[in-house]
């Protein structure tokens, strides 16, 4: 059973609750390394988390500019440098 309190409302559910993803907003500038940190993410039941970062769209932008390589794709911290 998991109890979640959000905005003053209490939700009680049983079974496996989904993990909670927590990452900061970042400002991305061309040529500067970007770090995305999801280390504060958690599972309500305390299970270990697995990370699989990926681009949400095609590996090549419409202008034929390749997306930057993702470093740390299976860790809680990901880095990349946009060109």
């Amino acid at each position: 059973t998991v109890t979640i309190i959000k905005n003053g409302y209490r939700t009680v559910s049983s079974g496996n609750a989904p993990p909670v993803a927590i990452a900061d907003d970042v400002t991305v500038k061309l040529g500067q390394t970007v770090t995305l940190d999801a280390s504060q993410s958690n599972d309500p039941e305390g299970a270990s988390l697995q990370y699989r970062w990926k681009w949400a769209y095609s590996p090549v932008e419409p202008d034929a500019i390749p997306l930057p390589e993702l470093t740390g794709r299976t860790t809680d911290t990901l880095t990349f440098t946009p060109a």
Side-chain angles (χ1 to χ4, degrees):
T1 302
V2 176
T3 302
I4 301 170
I5 299 174
K6 183 175 181 180
N7 298 329
Y9 294 96
R10 183 178 184 166
T11 302
V12 178
S13 63
S14 61
N16 187 20
V20 178
I22 300 171
D24 292 331
D25 289 334
V26 296
T27 299
V28 177
K29 294 183 180 181
L30 294 178
Q32 293 184 356
T33 299
V34 177
T35 300
L36 302 177
D37 183 356
S39 62
Q40 297 301 309
S41 299
N42 63 77
D43 181 272
E45 286 93 20
S48 297
L49 297 179
Q50 295 180 350
Y51 299 87
R52 291 184 180 88
W53 301 86
K54 64 179 182 176
W55 292 113
Y57 51 89
S58 173
V60 177
E61 294 183 28
D63 296 330
I65 300 169
L67 293 172
E69 180 180 342
L70 302 176
T71 303
R73 291 179 20 182
T74 58
T75 66
D76 62 6
T77 305
L78 174 83
T79 60
F80 64 92
T81 305

